[in-house]
Amino acid sequence: MEFQQNELTAQVAATARDFARQHIKPFVMEWDESQTFPLSVFKEMGKLGMMGVLVPEKYGGAGLGYFEYIAIIEEVAKVCGSIGLSLAAHNSLCTGHILQFGNDAQKEKYLPKLASAEWLGAWGLTEANTGSDAGNMRTTAVKDGDHWVLNGTKCWITHGKSCDVAVVIARTGEPRSSGNSTAFIIEKGTPGFSGGKKENKLGMRASETAEMIFDNCRIPDTNRMGEVGDGFRQSLKILDGGRISIAALGIGIARGAYEASIQYAKERQQFDQPIAHFQGISFKLADMATEIEAAELLTLQAADKKMAGLPMTREAAMAKYYSSEVAVKVSNDAVQIFGGYGYTKDFPVEKYYRDSKLCTIGEGTSEIQKIVIAREVLK
């Protein structure tokens, strides 16, 4: 495994870094306070290939790999976790599902629009009563001739109201039975498909999280992805790749908090010297640096296996679990280093602190990651 950053990855990271500083950083707190979802920013990212990072060039994408994808998410998340989260959800979930499991006609129809950000994507698996218990979902799809009729509600969906197209997993069999769900592509404007409640969140407030509602929503069978009953199996594979992106998101947030802490510790004077000179502070910074590097290596290992086409369920779960917990710990320590100032919105670390917690919940909680890891190591 060779994790030395090559020239391409470095260039991609620099482009993402410059974009984030110019187009995101000046507005971070404004968007956070007002819960504004800045759709125009994603349109601009689409022009740079950041909304179709893994999509092949023949479908209008950037045709890059997971190392470049990780670099982009990290650079964006260092500035704003909300934008990093939406970027990851669009690329890994909706776009990634169609890329991995769509047929040729579906890929040709949807991937170019998603890769350019002409269309924004959403992905619907979670429901109010079936978060980790996805096999018991209540949203159903019933076959009616050459169409399917969907009824139910999905919740905690990134871009649930603003999406132009969504990949939705609906139950087509009995609850908890094997192979009981199927994946469908649903376009905005389809009768019976609407956005519901937008969540008022602790963090990630500039990333839209909302319900998707299906009320006798009829979609053609041509919008089904894969075989009937394959939806949950497809979802698990999508989540494996998605967990790499959430790991990168956690690393980006942690790095943002860490870099702010380094700067503050050098500048803040107490007892006639910078607080960085005190062991209590310097040891926190040492722990931060070490844990971030470890999270980065776990994430790159998972990405390396993903790019090689090797099994990486364990590695992706480890990377996601560890990096998300590190994001919370590092941002918590950052607030402590800043002291009273860290508790105010005039300094950046309180937002890193709020944003970090989502990483331990979204795309499988830390507890679910432990279950996945335990199953893999006990095989």
Side-chain angles (χ1 to χ4, degrees), residues 202-221:
L202 168 73
M204 301 293 194
R205 289 166 62 83
S207 177
E208 179 186 276
T209 305
E211 293 177 326
M212 293 194 299
I213 300 170
F214 305 95
D215 182 10
N216 289 320
C217 178
R218 291 180 61 86
I219 59 171
D221 187 56

Side-chain angles (χ1 to χ4, degrees), residues 80-130:
C80 181
S82 295
I83 307 305
L85 173 62
S86 279
L87 177 69
H90 174 91
N91 274 281
S92 289
L93 300 181
C94 179
T95 305
H97 202 137
I98 296 172
L99 177 62
Q100 191 165 345
F101 293 106
N103 57 37
D104 289 342
Q106 290 165 344
K107 290 178 183 179
E108 289 171 3
K109 180 177 181 179
Y110 294 108
L111 290 180
K113 292 182 178 180
L114 287 165
S116 67
E118 178 184 347
W119 280 12
L120 185 70
W123 191 76
L125 176 66
T126 304
E127 298 180 6
N129 295 308
T130 56

Side-chain angles (χ1 to χ4, degrees), residues 41-52 115-117:
V41 170
F42 296 96
K43 301 291 186 182
E44 291 300 315
M45 285 196 284
K47 296 176 183 177
L48 296 175
M50 293 165 64
M51 297 293 276
S116 67

Side-chain angles (χ1 to χ4, degrees), residues 4 7 17 19 43 60 63 88 115 128 135 212 226 252 266 284 288 291 295 300 306 335 338:
Q4 185 66 38
E7 185 177 352
R17 187 182 312 124
F19 181 90
K43 301 291 186 182
M212 293 194 299
K266 289 178 178 179
K284 285 185 185 297
M288 287 177 170
E291 290 161 355
L300 291 173
K306 176 71 173 175
V335 172
F338 274 73

Side-chain angles (χ1 to χ4, degrees), residues 16 28 62 78 81 92 110 127 147 315:
V28 166
K78 275 170 61 176
S92 289
Y110 294 108
E127 298 180 6
H147 282 70
E315 288 77 10

Side-chain angles (χ1 to χ4, degrees), residues 100-223:
Q100 191 165 345
F101 293 106
N103 57 37
D104 289 342
Q106 290 165 344
K107 290 178 183 179
E108 289 171 3
K109 180 177 181 179
Y110 294 108
L111 290 180
K113 292 182 178 180
L114 287 165
S116 67
E118 178 184 347
W119 280 12
L120 185 70
W123 191 76
L125 176 66
T126 304
E127 298 180 6
N129 295 308
T130 56
S132 300
D133 185 17
N136 195 34
M137 69 177 68
R138 297 180 182 178
T139 298
T140 59
V142 178
K143 190 76 181 296
D144 182 20
D146 58 358
H147 282 70
W148 292 83
V149 181
L150 272 68
N151 282 285
T153 301
K154 298 292 183 178
C155 68
W156 309 113
I157 308 303
T158 306
H159 314 147
K161 291 173 73 76
S162 296
C163 68
D164 297 287
V165 62
V167 171
V168 177
I169 318 303
R171 184 162 56 80
T172 49
E174 293 301 314
R176 301 194 192 284
S177 62
S178 177
N180 73 344
S181 63
T182 305
F184 300 92
I185 304 172
I186 307 177
E187 296 179 26
K188 183 177 184 178
T190 301
F193 173 32
S194 62
K197 175 189 174 186
K198 178 180 176 179
E199 302 296 340
N200 184 8
K201 307 191 300 284
L202 168 73
M204 301 293 194
R205 289 166 62 83
S207 177
E208 179 186 276
T209 305
E211 293 177 326
M212 293 194 299
I213 300 170
F214 305 95
D215 182 10
N216 289 320
C217 178
R218 291 180 61 86
I219 59 171
D221 187 56
T222 53
N223 281 33

